[in-house]
Amino acid sequence: MIIIGEKINGTRKAVAQAIRERDTAFIQELARSQSEAGSNYLDVNAGTAPEREAEDMAWLVATIQEACDTPLCLDSANPAALRAGLELVTHPPMINSVSGEKPRIKGVLPLALEFKTDLILLALDDEIGIPNSSDGRLKIVDRLVALAKEGGLAEEKLYIDPLVTAISTGTENAIITFETIQKIRAGYPRCHITSGLSNISFGMPLRPLINQTFMAMAVQAGLDSAILNPNDRKLTEMMLTSEMLMGKDRFCQAFTKAFRSGRIGDVKPVKFEA
């Protein structure tokens, strides 16, 4: 599973404050903790006003890279902010994201093609929004994959997000997501499939339980990447166990490595000497 750590996001109150105050220690601790928890990428979203987002993105990238070597997923619809980050990254980055919306196709896609980044593609457009069927979402995906490949990006560099919508707003929403994942996996076997899984439980009680169960079912459908909190032990346990049982963890190495390092399993109490 390719994990994209979600916590450095300016829409979160504490992160927004850290960006405003240039709190280097706070941002670097978020970066280190997610990296040590197994993140393959760190999502970086300044979430600030367009006129200052480029400066804030540049500060975030420089600050994070002083603390860890984990590749970054630059998260913005603002081409100026993305370019500011792309010009500073020291490891091959990812861009989050390009949808079927015209401003993103015209403003964000050319940057992904220029810098040859990995790229998240969203199954929505400015005509319908998020289609309420798997076939509708796949139609948008087909168009976006074709545009990316025509521009020179290999399928292996594409991360397709089928888009998870809250089960509280439609009882078929999880099923639509699973069907979309299955169709993407069948049509584009070399592409990755990613998603922000916690959207499924918005507005519901027992959100962690819903997220964990949804994770297991999404892995079975073909998900191989997720945008999540890597410090969520229960979700990590469900993810690693699901991949192992689906035959995606050769010789159970990822599961046993995580157990031996203490990332999963019961937390042993610390014993203090008298």
Side-chain angles (χ1 to χ4, degrees), residues 147-197:
L147 287 172
K149 290 173 66 175
E150 287 169 8
L153 291 183
E155 284 190 11
E156 291 82 357
K157 297 183 75 64
L158 303 179
Y159 289 68
I160 303 172
D161 187 341
L163 293 177
V164 177
T165 51
I167 195 71
S168 60
T169 65
T171 54
E172 300 296 312
N173 284 347
I175 293 173
I176 293 170
T177 299
F178 299 144
E179 289 177 349
T180 306
I181 291 172
Q182 291 167 342
K183 290 176 180 179
I184 293 168
R185 179 59 63 220
Y188 303 102
R190 294 192 301 278
C191 288
H192 299 285
I193 303 174
T194 194
S195 211
L197 295 177

Side-chain angles (χ1 to χ4, degrees), residues 51-90:
E51 62 271 15
R52 57 170 290 184
E53 189 181 5
E55 180 183 350
D56 290 337
M57 178 68 83
W59 178 79
L60 282 169
V61 169
T63 299
I64 294 165
Q65 290 184 152
E66 288 176 359
C68 67
D69 291 328
T70 305
L72 304 182
C73 175
L74 305 181
D75 186 351
S76 177
N78 181 343
L82 288 173
R83 182 173 289 279
L86 289 168
E87 290 177 347
L88 292 176
V89 292
T90 55

Side-chain angles (χ1 to χ4, degrees), residues 221-272:
L223 189 83
D224 68 346
S225 172
I227 304 168
L228 50 76
N229 174 7
N231 300 111
D232 184 333
R233 289 179 69 89
K234 291 297 183 182
L235 191 60
T236 299
E237 288 170 348
M238 185 62 72
M239 174 188 71
L240 290 168
T241 305
S242 299
E243 286 206 308
M244 179 179 64
L245 295 176
M246 286 298 297
K248 298 178 180 180
D249 181 4
R250 186 172 174 80
F251 302 121
C252 307
Q253 289 179 338
F255 185 90
T256 53
K257 182 180 179 181
F259 173 72
R260 289 169 180 162
S261 67
R263 286 177 54 215
I264 61 174
D266 293 336
V267 179
K268 294 180 181 180
V270 177
K271 294 182 178 180
F272 295 96

Side-chain angles (χ1 to χ4, degrees), residues 24-206:
T24 297
F26 181 88
I27 296 297
Q28 290 186 340
E29 177 55 29
L30 277 184
R32 277 191 294 263
S33 66
Q34 292 185 98
S35 180
E36 291 168 0
S39 293
N40 303 99
Y41 290 89
L42 299 178
D43 195 70
V44 183
N45 185 336
T48 49
E51 62 271 15
R52 57 170 290 184
E53 189 181 5
E55 180 183 350
D56 290 337
M57 178 68 83
W59 178 79
L60 282 169
V61 169
T63 299
I64 294 165
Q65 290 184 152
E66 288 176 359
C68 67
D69 291 328
T70 305
L72 304 182
C73 175
L74 305 181
D75 186 351
S76 177
N78 181 343
L82 288 173
R83 182 173 289 279
L86 289 168
E87 290 177 347
L88 292 176
V89 292
T90 55
H91 298 284
M94 179 184 292
I95 287 179
N96 185 11
S97 56
V98 168
S99 66
E101 298 163 298
K102 291 178 182 178
R104 296 222 184 192
I105 291 174
K106 292 181 179 180
V108 177
L109 180 59
L111 288 172
L113 301 180
E114 177 184 348
F115 287 87
K116 302 299 180 186
T117 71
D118 287 3
L119 177 63
I120 295 177
L121 302 175
L122 304 181
L124 68 90
D125 64 16
D126 43 16
E127 191 174 313
I128 301 174
I130 303 175
N132 60 6
S133 71
S134 58
D135 286 340
R137 296 183 193 188
L138 192 64
K139 185 176 180 180
I140 296 171
V141 168
D142 288 340
R143 179 183 173 218
L144 294 176
V145 171
L147 287 172
K149 290 173 66 175
E150 287 169 8
L153 291 183
E155 284 190 11
E156 291 82 357
K157 297 183 75 64
L158 303 179
Y159 289 68
I160 303 172
D161 187 341
L163 293 177
V164 177
T165 51
I167 195 71
S168 60
T169 65
T171 54
E172 300 296 312
N173 284 347
I175 293 173
I176 293 170
T177 299
F178 299 144
E179 289 177 349
T180 306
I181 291 172
Q182 291 167 342
K183 290 176 180 179
I184 293 168
R185 179 59 63 220
Y188 303 102
R190 294 192 301 278
C191 288
H192 299 285
I193 303 174
T194 194
S195 211
L197 295 177
S198 63
N199 292 342
I200 191 65
S201 63
F202 184 79
M204 293 293 292
L206 298 176

